[in-house]
Amino acid sequence: MTIATLSHVKETLGDLHAKKKFGQNFLIDANIVDKIARKAVEEELTVIEIGPGLGALSEMLLKYGKRLHAYEIDEDMYEILKAEFSDEERFSVELGDFLDVELEKVFYHDEPIYICSNLPYYVTTPILFKLFESRLDIRKITVMVQKEVASRFSAPVGSEDYNALSLIVQYLYDVKLEMNVSRKVFYPSPNVDSAVISFTPKVKRDYEYEQGLFSLIKNCFMKRRKTLQNNLKDHYDRETIEKIYAELGLKDTVRAQELKLEDYKRIYEVLNEK
Ligand code: SAM
């Protein structure tokens, strides 16, 4: 069976329609779906999928992975999936909002896993943040997002899209644009093009250090239009700020978006030298 075809999707939906409030746009090009699954699953490991919908991507992920555990918010999709994959023991689906799932409490706790999703666009950022902050042994995150969201992750220093999230992601992952995807391969067709991007961890996680570094970065970007000094003033005393400026040789007028990841790491070091 191939789920990712226009005829299968229309037939399965029957009287149902794609629900906008859940960001439902179903993939209808099996070649593209297969390509995404091959990028997402590099070894035979467990895969977690967010928003399986009618199961187009799930079907291909099962081809390459060991098993698939999916989270779907829409009860109609949930019922369809259970019927569609009733003979597939390696498939399981849970009904609910992925944002409410306590990932660390689930059974695959210390198992290496892959994450893959054709993300519902209305909730892209919170889902990504949840994944970035999770303590699971995630080997690769591969997600379909709106094209402009994808380019935000590789925003250069000083550009408008360069923000706290760019820095946090840059610290944690190698980000790769896997492919651009035309709006024509979805039903219904959205009014933007998409892209598949992947995040591969590049550092051994040190949650305590990250927490400190990331909250420093977030503090520095709190008021984007203001200078770095102005943002720092809300959190640190004058002496500490002067020390940071002297150590890094910063100009008084510098803004958060002009600093590189290495600069933030250095500032964090200075803060901890006291
Ligand atoms: N994976 C399918 C595909 O590629 O054809 C459907 C992708 S569609 C863009 C997004 C899916 O995510 C929908 O099935 C939607 O119901 C589901 N969804 C939306 N918000 C969700 C949430 N917060 N938690 C879990 N699933 C969600």
Side-chain angles (χ1 to χ4, degrees):
M1 154 197 51
T2 304
I3 298 174
T5 66
L6 182 59
S7 55
H8 184 94
V9 166
K10 280 189 166 171
E11 194 186 319
T12 315
L13 282 175
D15 291 338
L16 297 170
H17 52 269
K19 298 185 183 84
K20 258 202 172 132
K21 67 168 176 175
F22 290 142
Q24 290 178 352
N25 298 95
F26 304 104
L27 281 160
I28 51 166
D29 184 323
N31 287 326
I32 299 276
V33 181
D34 188 64
K35 211 169 149 189
I36 299 170
R38 271 186 284 128
K39 302 267 183 203
V41 185
E42 295 173 347
E43 285 176 64
E44 220 183 315
L45 299 178
T46 293
V47 186
I48 297 181
E49 186 187 0
I50 303 146
L54 298 169
L57 187 54
S58 325
E59 181 182 40
M60 302 292 184
L61 291 170
L62 276 165
K63 235 167 92 178
Y64 304 107
K66 185 162 81 180
R67 62 192 173 124
L68 180 76
H69 188 66
Y71 295 95
E72 174 56 58
I73 201 170
D74 181 3
E75 202 164 349
D76 289 328
M77 297 297 122
Y78 174 73
E79 293 301 335
I80 291 170
L81 288 161
K82 279 203 303 184
E84 191 83 70
F85 292 94
S86 57
D87 293 336
E88 180 50 92
E89 282 175 10
R90 297 178 305 130
F91 175 84
S92 51
V93 59
E94 227 168 279
L95 178 63
D97 185 338
F98 178 72
L99 292 174
D100 294 335
V101 176
E102 286 195 65
L103 282 173
E104 280 71 24
K105 286 203 179 152
V106 286
F107 59 95
Y108 33 72
H109 185 63
D110 15 83
E111 197 187 330
I113 51 163
Y114 292 119
I115 306 265
C116 187
S117 176
N118 171 12
L119 282 174
Y121 293 160
Y122 77 102
V123 74
T124 298
T125 309
I127 289 181
L128 285 177
F129 259 109
K130 185 181 173 89
L131 296 174
F132 298 157
E133 281 164 8
S134 118
R135 297 188 177 201
L136 297 188
D137 183 6
I138 302 173
R139 298 295 165 94
K140 188 173 182 182
I141 301 170
T142 308
V143 286
M144 174 102 73
V145 295
Q146 289 184 31
K147 209 170 170 182
E148 67 260 30
V149 174
S151 57
R152 231 175 268 162
F153 285 105
S154 48
V157 179
S159 68
E160 204 173 317
D161 285 336
Y162 185 74
N163 56 21
L165 180 61
S166 341
L167 280 154
I168 292 171
V169 167
Q170 200 191 321
Y171 171 81
L172 293 172
Y173 302 102
D174 282 321
V175 184
K176 187 172 170 202
L177 171 68
E178 298 282 3
M179 63 180 117
N180 288 314
V181 180
S182 155
R183 66 190 76 182
K184 290 192 197 126
V185 305
F186 298 91
Y187 175 81
S189 176
N191 46 20
V192 287
D193 287 320
S194 299
V196 174
I197 45 172
S198 66
F199 303 88
T200 309
K202 65 176 181 194
V203 282
K204 183 156 172 30
R205 302 294 291 253
D206 176 345
Y207 299 104
E208 202 184 323
Y209 173 79
E210 282 169 24
Q211 215 172 8
L213 179 69
F214 296 170
S215 74
L216 163 71
I217 294 175
K218 285 180 197 161
N219 288 343
C220 292
F221 276 89
M222 204 71 93
K223 298 172 205 142
R224 202 184 157 82
R225 308 251 161 251
K226 300 227 162 157
T227 61
L228 178 71
Q229 275 193 73
N230 241 307
N231 280 303
L232 287 173
K233 262 184 209 153
D234 294 340
H235 305 276
Y236 310 102
D237 59 42
R238 206 165 57 108
E239 200 188 321
T240 310
I241 299 173
E242 277 172 5
K243 193 172 166 202
I244 292 171
Y245 273 64
E247 290 275 343
L248 278 93
L250 298 175
K251 280 194 279 181
D252 284 349
T253 51
V254 76
R255 283 166 209 275
Q257 56 270 35
E258 292 172 66
L259 298 188
K260 296 197 279 294
L261 178 61
E262 290 313 311
D263 300 322
Y264 285 101
K265 285 190 191 168
R266 182 72 195 112
I267 295 177
Y268 189 56
E269 261 173 41
V270 176
L271 286 173
N272 287 305
E273 271 166 15
K274 286 211 293 177

